[in-house]
Amino acid sequence: MFFGTYFLRSQFRFVHYLHSKPKYQMKRILTVFLLFASFSLSFSQQNGILTGIVLDKSTQTPLKDINVRLLGTQLTAKTKEDGSFRITGIPLGTYQTEFTSASYQKFIQTDVVITTGIDRELIIELQGVSTDEVVIEDSRFRKPSDVSTSYKSLTFEEIRRFPGGLEDIGRVIQSLPGISLTSDGRNDLLVRGGSPAENLFVVDGFEVNNINHFGSQGATGGPVSVLNLDFVRNVNFLTGGFSAKYGDKLSSVVEIEQRAGSSERFYGKINLSGTGFGANFEGPISKKNRSSWLISARRSYLDLIFNAAGFSFVPEYTDFQLKADYRLNNNNSIEFNSFGALDKVRFNNDTEEKKQNNLDILTNNQNSYSSGLSWKTLINKNSFLVSSVARNFTKYYFSQRDSNFTEVFRNDSKEGDVQLKLEYSNKLAANTYLSLGGSGKTIKLNYDIDKQADTLYYIDPNTGNNLILPAVKILQDIRTSKAFAYAEVTQTLMNRFKLTAGIRYDYFDLINEKSYISPRASLSVTITPKLNFNLAYGIFYQSPSYLWIVAEAENKNLRDIRADHYIAGIEYLLDESTRLTVEGYFKDYKYYPVSVNRPYLILANNSGFETQNSFGLEELRSEGTGKAMGFEIFLQKALTKNFYGTLSLSYSDVKYKALDGIERRSDWDNRFVVNINGGYKAGKTWEFSAKFRMAGGRPFTPINPNDGSINYDLYNTEVLPIYHRLDVRAEKRFFFKAWTLTTYIDIQNIYNKQNVYQYEWNPFTREIETNKNLGILPTIGVSAEF
């Protein structure tokens, strides 16, 4: 979380800077937006084009003779032999597109935006049904066949227009049920009592370590996403009880499905937002076999603004992304994905005040990339095989200095891996599906770490002395490996019961206890076409962070962390576009690493890297336990004509035990979180939306106001004030003959609530400081598609 605090403070000071300069006042920003929006453009009748391909969800075979219809119009099409369809002459606007067939469950794709400048392409996957099966009438709210509980899905358009989301996948997911809050400067996912390190990210089938700039080493969060939202088709979010094909994480899976580039002609997009600018380009490799490419590059210009404002720290980040799809023939296709980031922090230490401001901030420079190549083969009409190879690499450089400007911590690390994976799926019968898979991963680690001994503010209540963490020096070059295999069967019984059972094996060579087996099972009962009852159980394992293991020789005795999931819930369709979900869960944690030197600390509370003492570079034991329980209520209204929205309520009770055996609340336990989000489309060109969030205060440890000391017997015994904030957004589209201009204004925290996220001791002023989240923050964005 160190760079989240850093990023948050930089934004906070930038807001104060804007407010101190009359020419940057918010009314001026509003004036600029209204000037854009006031233009009224009138053209002769303009039309757009919708194309796409329809596949069988289970077998990935193209589907012929699927009926395609734009609701609210007379426009229709039927898919060809290769599953493709094309509809022309579509009036500009936002549509729902319906896909129907006697052998497949009806599906309605919402938020299909037809504009000038670019043809919309869809990839639709339909779920087959037998004639006597009782099917839930969820044409807008689908789940994969092997998922029964804890599943939410977001489309590109839902993420793009989300108020306060900054087109960032993590920030939008934070508003789904079951997610606790950290600070406004981070997009960490804290799922059902889990830490930020417990989430798996999968991009088009490739496992990636982190999708964020300035990411936390060994965890999965950060301040801003590397992935360009314009590449995204759907994001599927699983918060528990997920299937056996996913592993080595305890709490959630974020499955990002990317779109293909245009196979028809060349397109481009230029985007300018409040923090940076970028460009995307796409086009066909071969029109004949629907092959395409898609590329983007983006750069932040915060460094220019912060330098001009005279800030003591300047963040710089750049990212790039490439995707290519090539169809060899009707049964074989190749896909290549790659994205990377260049992140750097510069400090302006030209005054003593700036030096003091920068002392508690880690230098955080990173270069990272992830790449993957996959080959999908349709073996026959009922089965397919996906073979893939992927590479992840990150170079970290962290540094921290004391009040004398002497370096007291340096972490120069390189972590890389190459993974080979095979996945096979077979529709054995009308109601029986089999999935098999396996993977091997080779890992190369290079560490050059030097950390001086540190005296903490925490006081040992037994001795009255400050705790001391010993010095650590690591100079290692390591090769190790991981592997997994899984098998899973999904069976529909008596036309109402869908049972999924699977088993998974995980292997990790770097620790002494290397092998782990985890069974999973889920059951979905269709009571009526509108009501489902769902159950799930599973054992989940996650290997310890590489850094934890190499910190001390004894840490090779660490085991994989274990969490047992128990989930029950119902889904009820109030109508075709409105769904209510209610779920309860219980998670039982075992073998969580705990600190020997800090007996109050379990590393579930240590995944937000704030200082040099937060990396787990000390002697650890797998003796921590924990329990997380709660319930979630989620009401979702999909866009039909003009209105859409969601409402969620989450309640949780999360407690852990460290080495001293005392049960304490988790750092991430808000107890309750309420999210309300909604929007209204006014005609074809205007859209207005808002999001309100309220959460209970997170636990914190009180500080002695006299000397800054902390009695660890009081660890997490007090709570921060209640958090609440309102974000609003207005958007306007302009349609030209060959291109579309989109403008928006997004105002975060519109009533300027000063939410507290941390109290900390300032050793220079010898006072307790209150750190607050952002106040009001307006952002303008402009993008052009051509």
Side-chain angles (χ1 to χ4, degrees), residues 146 351 377:
D146 60 350
T351 67
T377 300

Side-chain angles (χ1 to χ4, degrees), residues 436-602:
L436 303 171
S439 169
K441 179 188 292 186
T442 178
I443 302 162
K444 190 176 188 303
L445 309 171
N446 183 276
Y447 297 116
D448 183 359
I449 300 173
D450 192 351
K451 175 181 172 297
Q452 295 185 12
D454 194 17
T455 301
L456 307 179
Y457 285 114
Y458 280 88
I459 302 296
D460 187 335
N462 299 315
T463 66
N465 298 323
N466 292 76
L467 295 177
I468 298 176
L469 289 181
V472 175
K473 189 171 182 63
I474 303 171
L475 188 61
Q476 294 192 40
D477 193 350
I478 301 168
R479 283 196 177 273
T480 186
S481 60
K482 285 185 175 181
F484 73 81
Y486 71 89
E488 185 174 76
V489 175
T490 299
Q491 177 70 55
T492 301
L493 304 168
M494 295 183 288
N495 303 321
R496 290 182 181 271
F497 299 87
K498 185 183 70 173
L499 175 66
T500 299
I503 192 165
R504 180 183 176 96
Y505 169 77
D506 283 282
Y507 174 87
F508 185 28
D509 186 56
L510 195 57
I511 55 179
N512 292 331
E513 189 167 337
K514 305 178 187 301
S515 298
Y516 300 87
I517 295 177
S518 47
R520 318 269 177 90
S522 65
L523 175 67
S524 182
V525 182
T526 304
I527 299 173
T528 74
K530 294 183 179 293
L531 178 64
N532 259 21
F533 174 67
N534 306 311
L535 294 169
Y537 164 76
I539 296 175
F540 299 82
Y541 285 103
Q542 179 172 332
S543 58
S545 166
Y546 304 139
L547 272 182
W548 300 347
I549 299 169
V550 302
E552 294 283 346
E554 294 82 359
N555 290 359
K556 283 203 169 186
N557 293 320
L558 292 175
R559 301 181 54 177
D560 272 17
I561 311 164
R562 173 173 166 170
D564 294 3
H565 293 202
Y566 304 84
I567 304 168
I570 61 168
E571 293 178 50
Y572 181 70
L573 288 173
L574 283 74
D575 57 47
E576 197 177 50
S577 65
T578 310
R579 176 180 65 171
L580 173 67
T581 304
V582 180
E583 278 194 356
Y585 65 88
F586 177 77
K587 291 168 71 175
D588 187 11
Y589 285 96
K590 300 181 179 72
Y591 316 126
Y592 227 113
V594 296
S595 170
V596 173
N597 295 293
R598 296 180 279 179
Y600 60 88
L601 180 65
I602 184 170

Side-chain angles (χ1 to χ4, degrees), residues 680-745:
Y680 180 79
K681 284 185 173 289
K684 295 182 178 181
T685 61
W686 277 102
E687 184 170 350
F688 304 92
S689 56
K691 177 198 70 184
F692 176 74
R693 176 182 293 170
M694 176 181 287
R698 293 190 293 111
F700 75 94
T701 306
I703 302 171
N704 187 324
N706 297 317
D707 59 8
S709 63
I710 300 172
N711 184 339
Y712 73 64
D713 271 354
L714 302 178
Y715 188 85
N716 280 357
T717 56
E718 297 189 16
V719 295
L720 297 172
I722 288 177
Y723 172 105
H724 56 89
R725 148 181 159 179
L726 175 66
D727 304 334
V728 298
R729 177 184 169 103
E731 178 177 291
K732 170 73 172 176
R733 279 194 172 100
F734 302 91
F735 299 124
F736 298 88
K737 184 176 181 180
W739 63 289
T740 296
L741 178 70
T742 302
T743 64
Y744 70 84
I745 181 169

Side-chain angles (χ1 to χ4, degrees), residues 37-85:
S38 62
F39 290 110
S40 178
L41 301 175
S42 178
F43 298 100
S44 58
Q45 180 67 37
Q46 296 184 68
N47 296 320
I49 298 172
L50 175 65
T51 65
I53 186 169
V54 182
L55 306 173
D56 185 294
K57 174 72 174 177
S58 301
T59 66
Q60 294 296 292
T61 54
L63 297 179
K64 180 185 176 183
D65 293 335
I66 302 296
N67 299 306
V68 185
R69 181 166 69 99
L70 265 64
L71 299 183
T73 75
Q74 299 300 313
L75 298 172
T76 63
K78 195 178 287 278
T79 58
K80 301 177 182 178
E81 188 77 32
D82 62 356
S84 65
F85 68 91

